[in-house]
Each structure stands twice: as C-alpha cells, then as structure tokens.
Amino acid sequence: MIAGRGPSPVLVLALVQRLPDTSLTVALASGDRQHFGWGQDRHLAADLYDAINANTRATGQWGKGKTPKIPPFPRPSAKPAATQAGTRPAATVAALYQQFARR
C-alpha cells in the first residue's frame, strides 16, 4: 500500500498464494515464461512418460548393443543461477519505496 491507497498487503498476499500452479505469475517466479502451463500434473505426466520409456528399455529383448535411445520428454529448463553475469541485485524495500516516492 502506497500513501494509503490500494489493497492491503494481506489481501494481495492471500490472492497471490491462491493462484493456480499453471499461472503466468507462478511461471515467472519459477524462472521464465517457458514454465507457463507447467503445473504438477504436467510434470507428473512427463515423469511417467520417462519412467515408461526406461522400463521399456530395461525389459525389452533387444539384441546385444541394440537398445534404442528414447529421448526424454522435453521440459522447461531450471531457474538460472543468481550469480550469472548480467543479473540485477535483489531489490530492497527501501529502494522500491524511493522509486515510488519520486513520482
């Protein structure tokens, strides 16, 4: 809340916590836009796909050295490390307040 206007911080926090795991806000918090739509159900489906393929390779009667290479299900990449070059330092509450107070 800035200068007494807007919704209370408790309300905003409650609304953000109730967002579905496939929302764009959760995707951006997870790393990047590529996580959009990747909820728990999609991650579990990708894991199931990989498990079935691993079981197929392990129990199949392939000729010696002729086990097929089955590619894993494509997933979004992990969140980039904060120590990479070109990243901004974390914003502080004081810095955010100064940005809004300049207006």
Side-chain angles (χ1 to χ4, degrees):
M1 184 168 8
I2 299 169
R5 296 185 308 259
S8 69
V10 174
L11 175 64
V12 172
L13 184 61
L15 292 175
V16 169
Q17 287 176 343
R18 293 185 53 112
L19 286 173
D21 58 351
T22 56
S23 70
L24 184 58
T25 302
V26 174
L28 293 175
S30 297
D32 200 0
R33 222 179 161 84
Q34 63 186 346
H35 291 274
F36 182 59
W38 275 84
Q40 288 181 348
D41 57 338
R42 193 145 181 205
H43 282 285
L44 287 173
D47 290 340
L48 181 63
Y49 175 86
D50 290 341
I52 290 172
N53 287 337
N55 187 35
T56 301
R57 289 189 65 199
T59 60
Q61 295 186 8
W62 317 107
K64 191 165 197 156
K66 297 195 181 204
T67 305
K69 175 64 177 143
I70 304 171
F73 196 83
R75 293 174 170 82
S77 61
K79 188 173 184 177
T83 59
Q84 290 180 351
T87 59
R88 296 184 299 183
T92 63
V93 175
L96 291 173
Y97 180 76
Q98 286 177 352
Q99 287 178 352
F100 284 113
R102 279 189 253 159
R103 293 182 182 191

